[in-house]
Amino acid sequence: MDRLPIFILLLCLPSLNAAFELPYSSFWRRAQVPSTGYYDPKDTGGSMLTKVIGTFPEGQGEPINAIISANSDSTCWWIGRPTVASATISLNETAVIRYNYGDASLGACTETIKGGNHFRYWVQNGDSENSGAIFMAFSYEMPISLGHDIVVNGYNTARDYMVGNITGSAIPTLNLTNSSTYSGSTSYEGYTYKTDVKYVSGLLDNTSIGINHNWSVYIDGVTNAVDGLVAVLDVSITERPDTDNAFTLNTAMISWLPLAFIASLISLVPL
């Protein structure tokens, strides 16, 4: 259990103050999943915007701007307690992962106070669209004293900080297109992950309309609050520790997974 500090420290968050549930969940390519590694929620009347309670005006959402596709390697993970946000990918958000300011004990709570990069995620596990892909909503928020508004261009740049950390690349947020691709490897806790990233258009609209905090996020004449691009990640594990007890398929021993790997990279986001 001591190999899970990132998820354990989430217990200090107000929205996750109940104990984690501990189901065993495998991540594999389901039969009939599209070659993209996910289903487009819009095909069945869904949306790539989260449903957030208490926005002003009501009904605004935040972009789900990254996906770990079902083409990624098989693994398993902890599933956390659902919180207030929801999406049409599945009923409720699985968890929120926050930048930890280099403090594995209380850093996530520090992010809640001081602001920073964070993401919420959902597993695409609906009855008709059960791909197992992980849909993530990245944003870079201001301190709690400023109401957790999102910084200028904070949806797009939060996504790209993550991509840059994973691939070791400088991501030119304002110049990205739907033909932009990046690849790279990184290591954590004895695992090496290779990630191929491509930016995809058509899942999100290029717009500020209906976007939460849009007044503080868009850059007039330069970019909308949402640039219409989703970073799609294919993650493969290319190296494992010599002794890898996490892959004994014992439900009491949970492996590090692409999602935990991405969570670890939140701490590398520049302030």
Side-chain angles (χ1 to χ4, degrees):
M1 298 298 180
D2 60 350
R3 302 178 65 196
L4 295 164
I6 294 168
F7 283 93
I8 291 172
L9 64 85
L10 290 177
L11 296 174
C12 69
L13 300 178
S15 61
L16 292 174
N17 57 7
F20 274 119
E21 300 168 6
L22 304 177
Y24 177 86
S25 175
S26 57
F27 180 54
W28 69 91
R29 182 175 176 80
R30 272 76 164 176
Q32 309 302 320
V33 174
S35 60
T36 55
Y38 57 88
Y39 292 99
D40 183 345
K42 294 191 299 183
D43 290 345
T44 52
S47 171
M48 288 287 284
L49 297 179
T50 66
K51 297 179 180 178
V52 183
I53 298 173
T55 64
F56 181 80
E58 286 291 333
Q60 296 191 329
E62 299 189 354
I64 298 170
N65 49 14
I67 300 171
I68 302 178
S69 83
N71 296 325
S72 300
D73 277 354
S74 299
T75 187
C76 56
W77 60 41
W78 294 84
I79 298 296
R81 172 180 177 269
T83 54
V84 295
S86 63
T88 52
I89 295 156
S90 59
L91 180 59
N92 284 302
E93 144 187 332
T94 302
V96 55
I97 308 285
R98 299 180 183 276
Y99 167 54
N100 69 9
Y101 282 86
D103 182 347
S105 298
L106 297 174
C109 294
T110 302
E111 191 279 337
T112 300
I113 297 169
K114 296 177 64 174
N117 203 1
H118 69 295
F119 69 92
R120 305 174 187 278
Y121 73 93
W122 296 257
V123 181
Q124 189 173 52
N125 58 4
D127 293 337
S128 62
E129 296 183 341
N130 186 12
S131 70
I134 305 169
F135 285 60
M136 301 176 288
F138 280 85
S139 60
Y140 201 107
E141 64 185 0
M142 296 181 186
I144 193 170
S145 61
L146 297 176
H148 279 162
D149 285 342
I150 305 301
V151 303
V152 174
N153 206 18
Y155 295 120
N156 303 324
T157 55
R159 172 202 63 202
D160 296 340
Y161 285 153
M162 176 272 294
V163 172
N165 286 332
I166 288 173
T167 63
S169 306
I171 309 299
T173 299
L174 295 178
N175 297 314
L176 292 171
T177 71
N178 61 1
S179 63
S180 298
T181 60
Y182 296 89
S183 295
S185 294
T186 191
S187 297
Y188 192 77
E189 292 289 324
Y191 291 84
T192 298
Y193 301 89
K194 180 181 183 296
T195 306
D196 296 317
V197 182
K198 58 183 176 182
Y199 284 84
V200 175
S201 60
L203 293 168
L204 280 171
D205 292 332
N206 184 348
T207 187
S208 296
I209 298 173
I211 305 301
N212 199 25
H213 304 288
N214 62 74
W215 63 272
S216 68
V217 176
Y218 85 107
I219 304 175
D220 190 26
V222 178
T223 184
N224 286 319
V226 175
D227 63 9
L229 297 174
V230 174
V232 177
L233 286 61
D234 292 342
V235 184
S236 57
I237 301 174
T238 58
E239 186 176 352
R240 309 177 192 273
D242 292 337
T243 302
D244 187 359
N245 293 329
F247 284 81
T248 61
L249 297 184
N250 183 334
T251 59
M253 306 184 73
I254 308 298
S255 71
W256 285 107
L257 70 160
L259 188 65
F261 140 73
I262 291 172
S264 73
L265 294 176
I266 287 288
S267 64
L268 301 180
V269 171
L271 295 178

